[in-house]
Amino acid sequence: MRVAITGATGFLGLHLLRELLDRHRTITVLSHAGSRGAIDRIRSFLEVTAAPDELVRRLPERLRIVETDLTQPRLGLSRSDFTSLADSIDVIWHCAGDRRIDATLAELRPVNVEGTRHLLELAEVGRRRPRMLHISTAYVAGSRRDGTVKEELPDDSGGFENDYERSRYEAEVLVRDWAARSGRAAMILRPTTLVSDRPGVPGNTLRYMVERAEATGGCAALGWAARLPRRMRPVLRLISAPEGRLNFVPVHEAARVMTRLADLAGSGGVDVYHVRHPHDVPIEVVREVLAEFLPVRLRFVAEPPAGPTGVERLAAAHTAFMPYLTHRRGYDDSGVRALLGEPRSAVGIDRDYLVDCVRPGRSGRRVGAQRHPHPEHGRAERAGSVELGCVLRFRGLAPTVEDLREAVAARLWRVPTLAYRTDGGHRRRGPLDPARHVHAHPIGPDRLDTAVDEALAARLPRDRPLWEARLVHGHAHDEWAVIVKAHPALLDGASVVEVSRRLFGVEPIDAAPAHPAAVSDPGACARVRRLLPPATRPFATRGLTGTRRLAWLGLDAERLHPAGADPDALFLAALAGALRDCAGVPWRRGPRPVWALVPTPSGAAEPGAHARPTRVRLPCDQTDPARRLALVTEAIRAAHPASGARWHARAATSPWQVDLVAGPIHRWLRRPYAFRGSPLIGAVPFGGLPRGMPFGMFLATFEDTLYVSAVADTGLPAELAESLCTSWSTALDELPRD
């Protein structure tokens, strides 16, 4: 059977394609014209979701990519190509669509309505009379708030909550009329709200709604409120139904149900099926999820507030998803039950799961009924990722991923910490399977930076110890790399250095000694000054995406080690100068002092999460480089690395805790090491970006090379990370050296 699919690189489409690849030898992917790299996105998804290596390797020969434009007649193809495509298809999966619930009808119709019309024309032209499988939504039921929505063709008598629902209804009408006119079979599949807590997959509807609420309207204007303790935040009253409920279904389970339904013979007409989770979610759970991310205290009320506050007036302008809070309706799935039996789900949809659907890994511990997040340096992240690691570059012929897994398996005994999972407390997972932690990542020439960005974007799965290693090859002749990544609850930055040596080194070299910051009594004035946070964050954080981009620069290591100078002070003073002078830094009101989180090595013998956080004030407002260096040196001497309890107490009482991360100076090995004959030629560190931090800078020395790296949120200008590295190098040259 010859199968074609639209939207194969989208949220649902990727999971559908994964199911279809298990059923069909080859698949035609109708990708959007001009969107390069469809097969690369599909490959990345399969690797992230632990697909068999054989499937990933043979992907190019199993997929036929045809660039089309759904909004154009004949899909933007010539008449002959359109006819040839139509004659080569037995089944069309129409999964593409514009799912923005806050868009206008004029914006939605070109894809959702006209795109469906053009695909039906493709099906009508084809000599093989292809079957149409149309992915719609359960929300074509419109504004109906109560009762049970049947598996039948809808009408528009009750109206719709938004233009997105109307566009989906109009597309269903097209499918119904086409089937009646041509006497052809069609199937309409209506999933409820699709979600996923899997890291590294495209964003789902719930995540989109939260991000839109964060970036627009009242929530964007209330960014300052996120820094207040929750009990002091402004109240936002929203209308909801006391007995309200919504249905969320994991996307991978929905894709499996859809393909199982498609395997069965239809009635010959238009079959309609609801794809839903067997259990609805109470609206109170949805309130808890929204409250986790929005800078307000949410209260659900049954009637509109008599006197709306300023916060509520701001929020009222962005209400596309608010009507769903009043829904009490259910969805009939008797047709699905009759064909597939009673529904079962391996996923319990609760508050923690939905939180992870918005920010993978955000909920922390997932043990029993506990709902208390496991803190990361005092405050759990809401956007961004705190995962850290390094990029190891080797010279020579790249090993196979099987060779790398075999080598890692033989050396795991050197790092017992890697066998532990953090879920509110450390517990042993037993023997590790390297295949779940070591993956291949082949790329094209000169694409190492792309591989690093993709590794940063993919969150670590929490169903296993939180670390991974990616084998990257194909970016340069006679060179390969390993991207090592771990969660700071498992390893700190200095431990990543030691773990890399134990897993990929061959010589028993002692670890470099740690150099914790000097401790001295800062005096009463300095202690009071640390308790007085600035009125606002110095950097604009609106529009941050939570994903990261990495850039690095290799310099002569001697530039950081002049006689009589403290390398840590030079690094931070140069960072203050770089922040001041770099054109792309998103200052709110011009350069001003900022607080940097500097993890201090503990000197522990075994790798682990031992680093102690230190807060250092960077004098970015100082124009004199010598004065900047003097102030930073004084700040380092006055800094006290905090214990875990002390740091958590500070974070609880001071929501303005830190503005950026400045990684410690990792002192890599002075003597080189090799992996099976391939010498290590470079080691680039990278760190995490907790919530509200737009960028961070990190430093490492390897042999005679100094690597400075910058991690920036992808919502900032693309060149910012590289500009920060260049500005840091310039600022370093301006500092006095005697």
Side-chain angles (χ1 to χ4, degrees):
M1 182 178 294
R2 303 175 184 179
V3 177
I5 180 172
T6 67
T9 59
F11 178 52
L12 173 60
L14 286 167
H15 292 83
L16 269 177
L17 182 63
R18 176 69 181 87
E19 294 290 331
L20 294 174
L21 285 168
D22 289 339
R23 289 169 165 78
H24 306 285
R25 183 181 300 274
T26 60
I27 296 174
T28 299
V29 174
L30 305 181
S31 68
H32 180 63
S35 60
R36 303 292 182 182
I39 197 166
D40 292 333
R41 291 194 294 274
I42 295 170
R43 181 187 290 110
S44 296
F45 168 78
L46 294 177
E47 291 174 347
V48 166
T49 53
D53 290 340
E54 180 67 13
L55 173 60
V56 177
R57 185 181 64 82
R58 296 186 57 198
L59 194 62
E61 61 190 68
R62 297 190 59 186
L63 295 183
R64 173 194 176 200
I65 308 296
V66 179
E67 292 193 355
T68 59
D69 186 347
L70 291 178
T71 66
Q72 299 298 317
R74 297 195 306 271
L75 306 181
L77 302 174
S78 66
R79 189 176 302 277
S80 60
D81 290 342
F82 184 74
T83 303
S84 176
L85 175 63
D87 291 341
S88 67
I89 297 172
D90 295 305
V91 176
I92 299 175
W93 283 88
H94 182 27
C95 188
D98 190 336
R99 292 175 171 81
R100 295 174 296 161
I101 63 172
D102 54 354
T104 65
L105 196 58
E107 294 171 325
L108 294 165
R109 271 179 173 156
V111 173
N112 292 350
V113 181
E114 296 307 311
T116 301
R117 188 192 311 277
H118 298 147
L119 273 178
L120 293 172
E121 293 171 355
L122 179 73
E124 193 164 359
V125 169
R127 291 181 300 179
R128 308 176 71 90
R129 296 176 62 84
R131 183 186 184 194
M132 186 71 175
L133 303 174
H134 177 72
I135 310 297
S136 184
T137 175
Y139 295 100
V140 293
S143 298
R144 178 179 177 181
R145 307 291 172 87
D146 305 285
T148 301
V149 180
K150 300 296 184 180
E151 290 179 313
E152 57 189 26
L153 295 173
D155 60 68
D156 60 350
S157 58
F160 299 94
E161 301 286 17
N162 48 58
D163 286 341
Y164 168 72
E165 292 182 355
R166 176 171 289 281
S167 71
R168 285 305 199 177
Y169 164 77
E170 292 178 0
E172 282 199 18
V173 170
L174 289 178
V175 175
R176 178 188 62 191
D177 293 347
W178 170 83
R181 183 180 68 254
S182 62
R184 305 276 287 277
M187 180 183 292
I188 296 176
L189 298 163
R190 294 179 184 160
T192 56
T193 304
L194 296 169
V195 291
S196 175
D197 66 340
R198 288 180 173 180
V201 302
N204 55 71
T205 302
L206 183 62
R207 188 186 308 175
Y208 173 78
M209 291 193 318
V210 171
E211 289 176 349
R212 289 293 295 166
E214 289 178 325
T216 61
C219 291
L222 290 171
W224 56 269
R227 299 187 294 276
L228 294 174
R230 190 173 297 277
R231 65 182 180 278
M232 297 176 60
R233 296 178 182 178
V235 174
L236 175 61
R237 294 169 293 180
L238 299 179
I239 303 173
S240 72
E243 303 299 326
R245 54 181 175 158
L246 294 173
N247 193 272
F248 299 89
V249 58
V251 65
H252 64 282
E253 293 188 352
R256 189 173 300 120
V257 170
M258 291 178 184
T259 50
R260 289 179 62 194
L261 290 170
D263 290 341
L264 304 174
S267 64
V270 180
D271 299 312
V272 180
Y273 299 106
H274 285 144
V275 180
R276 62 185 297 272
H277 193 272
H279 303 291
D280 293 333
V281 175
I283 203 68
E284 178 60 24
V285 174
V286 178
R287 186 198 66 79
E288 293 179 8
V289 174
L290 295 175
E292 187 72 22
F293 300 99
L294 303 183
V296 293
R297 287 180 292 160
L298 286 177
R299 291 181 183 172
F300 283 180
V301 296
E303 300 294 335
T309 64
V311 173
E312 290 161 350
R313 287 194 296 271
L314 283 170
H318 303 272
T319 58
F321 69 90
M322 291 184 186
Y324 297 111
L325 302 178
T326 64
H327 283 197
R328 295 186 293 265
R329 70 192 185 197
Y331 299 94
D332 170 45
D333 61 347
S334 56
V336 177
R337 293 171 185 262
L339 294 175
L340 304 182
E342 288 299 313
R344 294 184 176 88
S345 175
V347 178
I349 308 294
D350 58 7
R351 178 261 186 197
D352 282 351
Y353 179 83
L354 293 177
V355 166
D356 286 336
C357 290
V358 179
R359 300 280 192 272
R362 167 71 174 90
S363 70
R365 66 176 69 176
R366 294 287 303 278
V367 183
Q370 298 181 20
R371 291 186 177 179
H372 304 289
H374 180 61
E376 296 166 352
H377 65 72
R379 299 195 67 165
E381 66 166 338
R382 297 183 183 176
S385 172
V386 293
E387 296 163 2
L388 47 81
C390 61
V391 182
L392 306 176
R393 297 171 53 227
F394 293 87
R395 179 80 67 195
L397 181 64
T400 64
V401 68
E402 290 79 12
D403 290 340
L404 195 65
R405 288 171 178 167
E406 179 183 356
V408 169
R411 301 176 183 195
L412 280 174
W413 65 271
R414 299 180 179 181
V415 196
T417 303
L418 296 184
Y420 284 81
R421 172 183 169 185
T422 58
D423 50 4
H426 287 76
R427 65 184 177 91
R428 188 73 178 240
R429 291 287 295 175
L432 284 178
D433 179 8
R436 303 187 73 192
H437 296 272
V438 181
H439 312 289
H441 196 129
I443 55 175
D446 301 320
R447 297 290 298 276
L448 178 59
D449 55 345
T450 302
V452 173
D453 290 343
E454 291 174 355
L456 293 179
R459 305 294 174 85
L460 292 168
R462 67 179 181 278
D463 60 346
R464 65 199 71 168
L466 297 174
W467 66 276
E468 73 170 12
R470 295 194 178 199
L471 171 63
V472 181
H473 57 87
H475 58 280
H477 175 67
D478 198 31
E479 184 178 320
W480 54 283
V482 175
I483 303 173
V484 182
K485 192 167 71 164
H487 195 281
L490 188 70
L491 298 173
D492 57 35
S495 295
V496 168
V497 175
E498 176 63 11
V499 166
S500 300
R501 182 190 73 84
R502 296 188 185 189
L503 292 183
F504 305 105
V506 295
E507 296 179 357
I509 305 174
D510 293 334
H515 299 277
V519 177
S520 62
D521 184 7
C525 292
R527 284 195 292 269
V528 171
R529 190 165 54 244
R530 285 203 300 269
L531 295 176
L532 298 177
T536 59
R537 285 190 183 274
F539 304 121
T541 58
R542 182 180 300 182
L544 298 186
T545 64
T547 57
R548 299 171 286 172
R549 180 182 292 110
L550 176 68
W552 65 85
L553 188 63
L555 306 168
D556 184 355
E558 292 303 319
R559 294 176 59 184
L560 200 66
H561 298 282
D566 177 15
D568 298 286
L570 288 172
F571 166 55
L572 295 176
L575 174 56
L579 294 175
R580 174 183 176 82
D581 299 333
C582 184
V585 174
W587 291 103
R588 286 184 185 273
R589 299 169 185 169
R592 55 186 301 179
V594 301
W595 290 99
L597 172 65
V598 183
T600 302
S602 66
E606 286 298 317
H610 307 304
R612 299 162 61 191
T614 303
R615 201 171 63 140
V616 178
R617 192 171 186 264
L618 302 183
C620 301
D621 56 336
Q622 287 292 331
T623 59
D624 181 14
R627 180 60 178 163
R628 279 201 301 267
L629 180 58
L631 290 174
V632 167
T633 302
E634 178 185 353
I636 292 176
R637 283 199 299 265
H640 283 274
S643 65
R646 183 178 176 185
W647 178 259
H648 296 166
R650 283 186 183 177
T653 57
S654 177
W656 300 266
Q657 195 68 29
V658 287
D659 303 308
L660 59 85
V661 178
I665 300 175
H666 300 319
R667 294 166 176 84
W668 285 76
L669 310 171
R670 280 289 177 178
R671 290 180 288 166
Y673 62 75
F675 179 86
R676 295 190 175 180
S678 295
L680 182 68
I681 61 174
V684 180
F686 60 83
L689 287 183
R691 178 184 180 271
M693 297 188 193
F695 43 73
M697 292 203 72
F698 308 91
L699 205 65
T701 57
F702 175 77
E703 294 186 323
D704 297 326
T705 303
L706 173 71
Y707 288 98
V708 57
S709 62
V711 175
D713 191 278
T714 55
L716 299 174
E719 67 279 359
L720 177 58
E722 184 175 351
S723 298
L724 280 172
C725 293
T726 304
S727 297
W728 183 91
S729 176
T730 303
L732 180 64
D733 292 335
E734 296 174 349
L735 296 175
R737 301 306 181 94
D738 48 25

